[in-house]
Amino acid sequence: KFVLDLKVVAVERLNAKNVLLKLTQEAPLPDMNPGQFVEVRVDNTSETYLRRPISINFVDKLRNELWLLVATIGDGTRHIGAVKVGDTLNCVLPLGNGFSYPQSSTDKVLLIGGGVGVAPLLYFGEQCKARGNEVTFLLGGRTATDLLELDTFKQYGEVFVTTEDGSLGEKGYVTNHSILQKCEFNQISTCGPKPMMIAVAKYARAADVPCEASLENLMACGLGACLCCVEKTTEGNLCACTEGPVFDIKKLLW
Ligand code: FES
């Protein structure tokens, strides 16, 4: 694990709630796996040691950049999302386990994300594509403006979209999308709201496709110390921050 002061090189407001931060440092960034996360310190608040877990959205090796997609939903994330180009963010990284890669380079991978849960799927999709896998993204949101980084996703695979109000793509939830009817995938990885991931897990079980889910359990310390992220599994209570956040759905009691 590293504790790094990373410099903000870009701040892109994607919609009213979500901000994409691009961070760098002079030395090469450490290796990070898709699905791992970063604990970012919240500065300029009374709670000096507060950190927020933010999943790794992308690592641009050429530019030596780490991308974090920040959903500004509370005071901590609002502070982080309000940084400016030239500021530094203190980051502990990389944390957690990350997604498993497909067993074969000919495997077809389906990556299903909802809301800001799409974030880690961008880096994972890029890495799967680099290994030769065919990547399909299925991304869902409430409305068209909830769907983030669509043009970037399209660089690494085919992108299908659902919105609850029908303003983009097929109307409904990701698990109702018509591409799931003709399942030709060898592996599914998912990240997003729990009800969505439970529905994806149900689909994967019925279709007999291996599936991993990245849990968005509440996290504080990120280090296995506070136990606020515990998930009940077939192997007992496991900390999502150290044993996850990615779990094989076979282990989950959903
Ligand atoms: Fe503290 Fe997981 S976040 S134990």
PDB file of all heavy atoms in Angstrom, residues 35 38-39 57 66 81 84 93 116-117 119 135 169 187 197 201 228 239 249 251:
ATOM      1  N   GLY A  35     -11.062  -2.726 -10.222  1.00  0.00           N
ATOM      2  CA  GLY A  35     -11.897  -3.191  -9.107  1.00  0.00           C
ATOM      3  C   GLY A  35     -11.317  -2.796  -7.763  1.00  0.00           C
ATOM      4  O   GLY A  35     -12.007  -2.856  -6.749  1.00  0.00           O
ATOM      5  N   VAL A  38      -9.364   3.416  -3.821  1.00  0.00           N
ATOM      6  CA  VAL A  38      -8.436   4.370  -3.215  1.00  0.00           C
ATOM      7  C   VAL A  38      -9.151   5.006  -2.025  1.00  0.00           C
ATOM      8  O   VAL A  38     -10.337   5.301  -2.102  1.00  0.00           O
ATOM      9  CB  VAL A  38      -8.106   5.479  -4.250  1.00  0.00           C
ATOM     10  CG1 VAL A  38      -7.185   6.534  -3.666  1.00  0.00           C
ATOM     11  CG2 VAL A  38      -7.514   4.875  -5.520  1.00  0.00           C
ATOM     12  N   GLU A  39      -8.464   5.202  -0.911  1.00  0.00           N
ATOM     13  CA  GLU A  39      -9.039   5.995   0.195  1.00  0.00           C
ATOM     14  C   GLU A  39      -8.472   7.407   0.076  1.00  0.00           C
ATOM     15  O   GLU A  39      -7.267   7.620   0.220  1.00  0.00           O
ATOM     16  CB  GLU A  39      -8.670   5.378   1.551  1.00  0.00           C
ATOM     17  CG  GLU A  39      -9.479   4.139   1.905  1.00  0.00           C
ATOM     18  CD  GLU A  39     -10.779   4.456   2.657  1.00  0.00           C
ATOM     19  OE1 GLU A  39     -11.060   5.644   2.907  1.00  0.00           O
ATOM     20  OE2 GLU A  39     -11.514   3.508   2.975  1.00  0.00           O
ATOM     21  N   ASN A  57     -11.366   4.353 -11.512  1.00  0.00           N
ATOM     22  CA  ASN A  57     -12.140   4.442 -12.754  1.00  0.00           C
ATOM     23  C   ASN A  57     -11.269   4.047 -13.951  1.00  0.00           C
ATOM     24  O   ASN A  57     -11.719   3.344 -14.864  1.00  0.00           O
ATOM     25  CB  ASN A  57     -12.661   5.882 -12.896  1.00  0.00           C
ATOM     26  CG  ASN A  57     -13.417   6.143 -14.184  1.00  0.00           C
ATOM     27  OD1 ASN A  57     -13.258   7.200 -14.784  1.00  0.00           O
ATOM     28  ND2 ASN A  57     -14.243   5.209 -14.626  1.00  0.00           N
ATOM     29  N   LEU A  66      -4.214   8.637 -12.834  1.00  0.00           N
ATOM     30  CA  LEU A  66      -5.242   7.841 -12.163  1.00  0.00           C
ATOM     31  C   LEU A  66      -6.545   8.633 -12.242  1.00  0.00           C
ATOM     32  O   LEU A  66      -6.570   9.816 -11.910  1.00  0.00           O
ATOM     33  CB  LEU A  66      -4.841   7.654 -10.693  1.00  0.00           C
ATOM     34  CG  LEU A  66      -5.931   7.180  -9.736  1.00  0.00           C
ATOM     35  CD1 LEU A  66      -6.396   5.767 -10.073  1.00  0.00           C
ATOM     36  CD2 LEU A  66      -5.417   7.239  -8.291  1.00  0.00           C
ATOM     37  N   GLY A  81     -14.792  16.429  -4.447  1.00  0.00           N
ATOM     38  CA  GLY A  81     -15.207  16.830  -5.794  1.00  0.00           C
ATOM     39  C   GLY A  81     -14.998  18.302  -6.093  1.00  0.00           C
ATOM     40  O   GLY A  81     -15.074  18.727  -7.242  1.00  0.00           O
ATOM     41  N   LYS A  84      -9.485  21.687  -7.253  1.00  0.00           N
ATOM     42  CA  LYS A  84      -9.202  22.381  -8.512  1.00  0.00           C
ATOM     43  C   LYS A  84      -7.898  21.860  -9.106  1.00  0.00           C
ATOM     44  O   LYS A  84      -7.091  21.256  -8.389  1.00  0.00           O
ATOM     45  CB  LYS A  84      -9.056  23.870  -8.242  1.00  0.00           C
ATOM     46  CG  LYS A  84     -10.319  24.480  -7.676  1.00  0.00           C
ATOM     47  CD  LYS A  84     -10.262  25.993  -7.715  1.00  0.00           C
ATOM     48  CE  LYS A  84     -11.551  26.577  -7.150  1.00  0.00           C
ATOM     49  NZ  LYS A  84     -11.817  26.153  -5.763  1.00  0.00           N
ATOM     50  N   LEU A  93      -3.444   3.807  -1.590  1.00  0.00           N
ATOM     51  CA  LEU A  93      -3.802   2.929  -2.705  1.00  0.00           C
ATOM     52  C   LEU A  93      -2.720   1.892  -2.980  1.00  0.00           C
ATOM     53  O   LEU A  93      -1.619   2.092  -2.513  1.00  0.00           O
ATOM     54  CB  LEU A  93      -4.085   3.778  -3.961  1.00  0.00           C
ATOM     55  CG  LEU A  93      -2.963   4.282  -4.895  1.00  0.00           C
ATOM     56  CD1 LEU A  93      -3.500   5.261  -5.859  1.00  0.00           C
ATOM     57  CD2 LEU A  93      -1.672   4.692  -4.314  1.00  0.00           C
ATOM     58  N   VAL A 116     -23.137   5.328 -10.597  1.00  0.00           N
ATOM     59  CA  VAL A 116     -21.699   5.584 -10.516  1.00  0.00           C
ATOM     60  C   VAL A 116     -20.929   4.261 -10.405  1.00  0.00           C
ATOM     61  O   VAL A 116     -19.708   4.222 -10.526  1.00  0.00           O
ATOM     62  CB  VAL A 116     -21.381   6.548  -9.343  1.00  0.00           C
ATOM     63  CG1 VAL A 116     -21.471   5.837  -8.015  1.00  0.00           C
ATOM     64  CG2 VAL A 116     -20.027   7.210  -9.523  1.00  0.00           C
ATOM     65  N   GLY A 117     -21.662   3.158 -10.236  1.00  0.00           N
ATOM     66  CA  GLY A 117     -21.069   1.818 -10.217  1.00  0.00           C
ATOM     67  C   GLY A 117     -20.430   1.432 -11.542  1.00  0.00           C
ATOM     68  O   GLY A 117     -19.715   0.436 -11.623  1.00  0.00           O
ATOM     69  N   ALA A 119     -18.087   2.983 -12.765  1.00  0.00           N
ATOM     70  CA  ALA A 119     -16.704   3.488 -12.721  1.00  0.00           C
ATOM     71  C   ALA A 119     -15.628   2.411 -12.896  1.00  0.00           C
ATOM     72  O   ALA A 119     -14.798   2.520 -13.800  1.00  0.00           O
ATOM     73  CB  ALA A 119     -16.484   4.298 -11.445  1.00  0.00           C
ATOM     74  N   VAL A 135     -15.346  -7.426 -25.272  1.00  0.00           N
ATOM     75  CA  VAL A 135     -15.984  -6.802 -24.114  1.00  0.00           C
ATOM     76  C   VAL A 135     -17.317  -6.176 -24.520  1.00  0.00           C
ATOM     77  O   VAL A 135     -17.398  -5.471 -25.528  1.00  0.00           O
ATOM     78  CB  VAL A 135     -15.064  -5.702 -23.523  1.00  0.00           C
ATOM     79  CG1 VAL A 135     -15.734  -5.017 -22.338  1.00  0.00           C
ATOM     80  CG2 VAL A 135     -13.721  -6.292 -23.113  1.00  0.00           C
ATOM     81  N   GLY A 169     -31.405   4.615 -24.833  1.00  0.00           N
ATOM     82  CA  GLY A 169     -31.348   3.153 -24.873  1.00  0.00           C
ATOM     83  C   GLY A 169     -32.709   2.532 -24.621  1.00  0.00           C
ATOM     84  O   GLY A 169     -33.749   3.162 -24.832  1.00  0.00           O
ATOM     85  N   GLN A 187     -18.431 -14.762 -19.012  1.00  0.00           N
ATOM     86  CA  GLN A 187     -18.186 -14.198 -17.682  1.00  0.00           C
ATOM     87  C   GLN A 187     -18.954 -12.887 -17.548  1.00  0.00           C
ATOM     88  O   GLN A 187     -19.026 -12.115 -18.510  1.00  0.00           O
ATOM     89  CB  GLN A 187     -16.684 -13.953 -17.516  1.00  0.00           C
ATOM     90  CG  GLN A 187     -16.315 -13.192 -16.267  1.00  0.00           C
ATOM     91  CD  GLN A 187     -14.803 -13.092 -16.078  1.00  0.00           C
ATOM     92  OE1 GLN A 187     -14.051 -13.994 -16.431  1.00  0.00           O
ATOM     93  NE2 GLN A 187     -14.354 -11.988 -15.505  1.00  0.00           N
ATOM     94  N   MET A 197     -27.471  -5.479  -8.586  1.00  0.00           N
ATOM     95  CA  MET A 197     -26.507  -6.589  -8.591  1.00  0.00           C
ATOM     96  C   MET A 197     -27.175  -7.898  -8.188  1.00  0.00           C
ATOM     97  O   MET A 197     -26.806  -8.958  -8.690  1.00  0.00           O
ATOM     98  CB  MET A 197     -25.329  -6.257  -7.675  1.00  0.00           C
ATOM     99  CG  MET A 197     -24.486  -5.115  -8.219  1.00  0.00           C
ATOM    100  SD  MET A 197     -22.845  -5.057  -7.495  1.00  0.00           S
ATOM    101  CE  MET A 197     -23.233  -4.551  -5.839  1.00  0.00           C
ATOM    102  N   ALA A 201     -27.084 -11.148 -10.437  1.00  0.00           N
ATOM    103  CA  ALA A 201     -26.642 -12.441  -9.905  1.00  0.00           C
ATOM    104  C   ALA A 201     -27.685 -13.524 -10.199  1.00  0.00           C
ATOM    105  O   ALA A 201     -27.337 -14.645 -10.579  1.00  0.00           O
ATOM    106  CB  ALA A 201     -26.396 -12.327  -8.403  1.00  0.00           C
ATOM    107  N   CYS A 228     -17.290  -1.864   9.531  1.00  0.00           N
ATOM    108  CA  CYS A 228     -18.578  -1.325   9.080  1.00  0.00           C
ATOM    109  C   CYS A 228     -18.953  -1.849   7.690  1.00  0.00           C
ATOM    110  O   CYS A 228     -20.066  -1.660   7.234  1.00  0.00           O
ATOM    111  CB  CYS A 228     -18.580   0.197   9.114  1.00  0.00           C
ATOM    112  SG  CYS A 228     -17.605   0.942   7.837  1.00  0.00           S
ATOM    113  N   CYS A 239     -14.935  -8.721   5.494  1.00  0.00           N
ATOM    114  CA  CYS A 239     -14.853  -7.278   5.258  1.00  0.00           C
ATOM    115  C   CYS A 239     -14.801  -7.031   3.758  1.00  0.00           C
ATOM    116  O   CYS A 239     -13.908  -7.551   3.070  1.00  0.00           O
ATOM    117  CB  CYS A 239     -13.596  -6.697   5.882  1.00  0.00           C
ATOM    118  SG  CYS A 239     -13.712  -6.516   7.653  1.00  0.00           S
ATOM    119  N   ILE A 249     -20.231 -14.406  -6.905  1.00  0.00           N
ATOM    120  CA  ILE A 249     -21.609 -14.441  -6.369  1.00  0.00           C
ATOM    121  C   ILE A 249     -21.915 -15.757  -5.655  1.00  0.00           C
ATOM    122  O   ILE A 249     -22.826 -15.816  -4.842  1.00  0.00           O
ATOM    123  CB  ILE A 249     -22.682 -14.171  -7.458  1.00  0.00           C
ATOM    124  CG1 ILE A 249     -22.601 -15.210  -8.576  1.00  0.00           C
ATOM    125  CG2 ILE A 249     -22.596 -12.749  -7.982  1.00  0.00           C
ATOM    126  CD1 ILE A 249     -23.866 -15.279  -9.418  1.00  0.00           C
ATOM    127  N   LYS A 251     -20.299 -16.936  -3.359  1.00  0.00           N
ATOM    128  CA  LYS A 251     -19.997 -16.719  -1.937  1.00  0.00           C
ATOM    129  C   LYS A 251     -21.060 -15.869  -1.243  1.00  0.00           C
ATOM    130  O   LYS A 251     -21.130 -15.823  -0.026  1.00  0.00           O
ATOM    131  CB  LYS A 251     -18.682 -15.943  -1.823  1.00  0.00           C
ATOM    132  CG  LYS A 251     -17.447 -16.781  -1.680  1.00  0.00           C
ATOM    133  CD  LYS A 251     -16.310 -15.879  -1.209  1.00  0.00           C
ATOM    134  CE  LYS A 251     -14.978 -16.530  -1.483  1.00  0.00           C
ATOM    135  NZ  LYS A 251     -13.872 -15.613  -1.184  1.00  0.00           N
TER     136      LYS A 251
END
